[in-house]
Structures are given as structure tokens and as C-alpha cells.
Amino acid sequence: MHDIGDELGKIDWEAAGQNAEQMLTSTTMQVKPLAESVKEIAAAINSFNEGKPAEALRNLDGGSEPARAASRPDAG
């Protein structure tokens, strides 16, 4: 047990915490686009199941409502 305590004492816990934070940040940044893609695919499947193929294809090509609304010219 004494050897384990000695080895634990040699660990730079501050650096280990910073490395863990960097790993979590990096992982989150990599997973977010995947989660957004899964969300778009789920929306497309939902639209197909509701009999709305055009809406389903818009979900898959990035033409979601917020993007279409932002790209429309202002009326007037």
C-alpha cells in the first residue's frame, strides 16, 4: 500500500485535471456535429413517415426552416 501512495504522490494532479478538461472539450466539439446530423436524419425519417417527402429531403439537404427564412428576401 505504501508503494501505491508513493506513486499517487508523484502524479501532477493539476496537469491531469487540465488534460481531462481539454479531452472533454475536444470530444464535445467532435460529437456536436454528429448529434446535429443524427437530429437531421431523425427529422427526415419523421417527415417520410408523415408522408411529406419534400420536407424530408429539405431536412437532409440543410434546407431547414430557419435557414430558408433567413435566406428569403424581405417582403416590401
Side-chain angles (χ1 to χ4, degrees), residues 13-76:
W13 291 104
E14 183 177 343
Q18 291 171 350
N19 289 340
E21 180 184 8
Q22 290 171 352
M23 188 229 20
L24 287 172
T25 301
S26 173
T27 302
T28 301
M29 291 177 68
Q30 292 172 7
V31 170
K32 185 177 178 181
L34 175 62
E36 290 172 355
S37 295
V38 169
K39 181 180 173 184
E40 290 172 2
I41 292 168
I45 291 170
N46 218 13
S47 295
F48 273 122
N49 287 340
E50 293 173 356
K52 302 175 184 174
E55 182 178 311
L57 294 174
R58 275 195 301 270
N59 286 326
L60 293 175
D61 73 0
S64 64
E65 181 57 34
R68 283 195 320 262
S71 65
R72 281 188 216 130
D74 291 336

